[in-house]
Amino acid sequence: MKETNSFHHQQQLDDNQQLNLVGLVTYYGKHYSTYIFNTKLLQWIYFDDATVRVVGSQWQQVVEKCIKGHFQPLLLLYSNGLYVFIVTQLSSQFC
């Protein structure tokens, strides 16, 4: 996974398909929280129970918040940018 611009990561699967990292679910101390990239605001948003906060436009800001809060990444959420579904039977080809 490499950073290709200021706000998110992209992963090249082959010449025709690219995935964008758009979400992250984390865990710390019996507690889950989520970071989601808002494509309209071009900002990472942090969701924690009743709290919603803007983290910033840079992926590094999300990483720093995770390190500072000792959050453990559990689940990465990707979008293929075309907003078409990836057939789950074929998803093992991409891992």
Side-chain angles (χ1 to χ4, degrees):
M1 189 170 17
K2 63 179 183 171
E3 188 170 356
T4 58
N5 59 42
S6 63
F7 59 89
H8 67 281
H9 283 273
Q10 296 177 333
Q11 184 169 356
Q12 191 73 34
L13 298 178
D14 59 33
D15 292 338
N16 300 321
Q17 191 168 23
Q18 180 173 297
L19 297 179
N20 300 318
L21 179 62
V22 295
L24 171 67
V25 177
T26 63
Y27 176 80
Y28 177 71
K30 300 181 184 177
H31 186 73
Y32 295 90
S33 57
T34 304
Y35 298 85
I36 299 292
F37 185 75
N38 183 305
T39 56
K40 290 186 181 185
L41 298 175
L42 299 180
Q43 297 282 327
W44 283 96
I45 311 295
Y46 174 71
F47 297 88
D48 179 18
D49 295 333
T51 304
V52 177
R53 292 191 178 113
V54 173
V55 175
S57 62
Q58 306 289 320
W59 171 248
Q60 186 59 35
Q61 293 169 289
V62 174
V63 172
E64 289 168 4
K65 187 167 177 65
C66 287
I67 291 170
K68 184 178 178 181
H70 304 286
F71 298 120
Q72 299 296 312
L74 294 178
L75 178 66
L76 300 175
L77 304 170
Y78 286 90
S79 167
N80 61 9
L82 301 173
Y83 304 104
V84 295
F85 294 102
I86 297 174
V87 178
T88 57
Q89 289 82 358
L90 303 176
S91 63
S92 62
Q93 296 179 84
F94 304 123
C95 298

